[in-house]
Amino acid sequence: MDKFLIKKTKEPPSSGISRGMKQASLHQLGGVVILEDLTSANQQLSNPEISPDQKIYILNKLKNKKPAKEILKSTGIGRTVHRLCRDENPIVSCAANEVYGFWKTHILHLLRRKPIEVESDAETKRGRASAKKMINLALNNSVIAEEIEIHVFIK
């Protein structure tokens, strides 16, 4: 079997052109948040014995992350960063304000966006239209009929 297997080493491209792009690791992505990292950062930022330089370093690392609202609540990191906004060290409070503001705008953006509506097939559209028509006839209010039908369809 070995006589049919030919192993060749990978040769670098002869053109000498390198792409310069590198694949991002999971930790580098903004939307990927590791809970252990957040709880560790929360403990370190809550510790009064940590130097301001270390707090600024941790806050700068947190600035690149986009945690969900539930994660901010469950880990307590949101309260800790908000508390650091009133820190006596102006550099720490400025860094904490940047992180808090970034997180707040990110969460408000997520809350304000419209939900995704999926296009249905023809049979489903006919059924929904029929349901709206029957509800509208019963209630004599097309706005309420539309809302009821949407909530029933979602459920």
Side-chain angles (χ1 to χ4, degrees):
M1 188 71 118
D2 287 335
K3 65 181 179 179
F4 297 110
L5 183 64
I6 301 171
K7 292 185 180 181
K8 293 184 178 179
T9 59
K10 256 189 175 177
E11 296 177 14
S14 59
S15 63
I17 300 172
S18 65
R19 291 195 130 160
M21 293 192 305
K22 187 178 177 184
Q23 185 173 359
S25 69
L26 210 54
H27 291 281
Q28 293 170 336
L29 300 174
V32 177
V33 180
I34 300 169
L35 293 176
E36 290 82 14
D37 292 348
L38 286 182
T39 54
S40 170
N42 187 25
Q43 290 172 351
Q44 291 175 350
L45 290 172
S46 298
N47 188 355
E49 297 170 1
I50 298 290
S51 71
D53 291 336
Q54 288 176 321
K55 288 182 181 181
I56 293 169
Y57 176 74
I58 294 167
L59 288 169
N60 285 333
K61 281 180 28 180
L62 291 175
K63 189 176 9 178
N64 300 326
K65 296 297 179 184
K66 297 177 184 178
K69 183 179 176 181
E70 295 80 22
I71 292 174
L72 290 173
K73 283 183 175 182
S74 67
T75 58
I77 189 74
R79 275 184 260 121
T80 304
V81 170
H82 190 63
R83 194 175 325 117
L84 284 176
C85 291
R86 297 179 295 274
D87 195 71
E88 54 270 350
N89 188 331
I91 300 171
V92 172
S93 64
C94 181
N97 275 321
E98 286 180 20
V99 173
Y100 185 77
F102 178 73
W103 286 353
K104 185 175 181 179
T105 55
H106 171 68
I107 290 172
L108 289 176
H109 170 72
L110 292 178
L111 292 175
R112 289 183 186 141
R113 70 179 179 189
K114 290 185 177 180
I116 299 171
E117 265 193 52
V118 179
E119 189 70 25
S120 302
D121 61 343
E123 185 178 343
T124 305
K125 285 181 183 179
R126 279 194 306 274
R128 289 184 72 178
S130 175
K132 287 179 202 173
K133 187 176 178 182
M134 285 188 239
I135 295 170
N136 190 19
L137 285 173
L139 298 176
N140 292 327
N141 189 338
S142 62
V143 176
I144 294 174
E146 178 79 23
E147 289 294 318
I148 290 173
E149 192 279 328
I150 288 172
H151 287 292
V152 169
F153 183 74
I154 289 171
K155 293 292 180 187

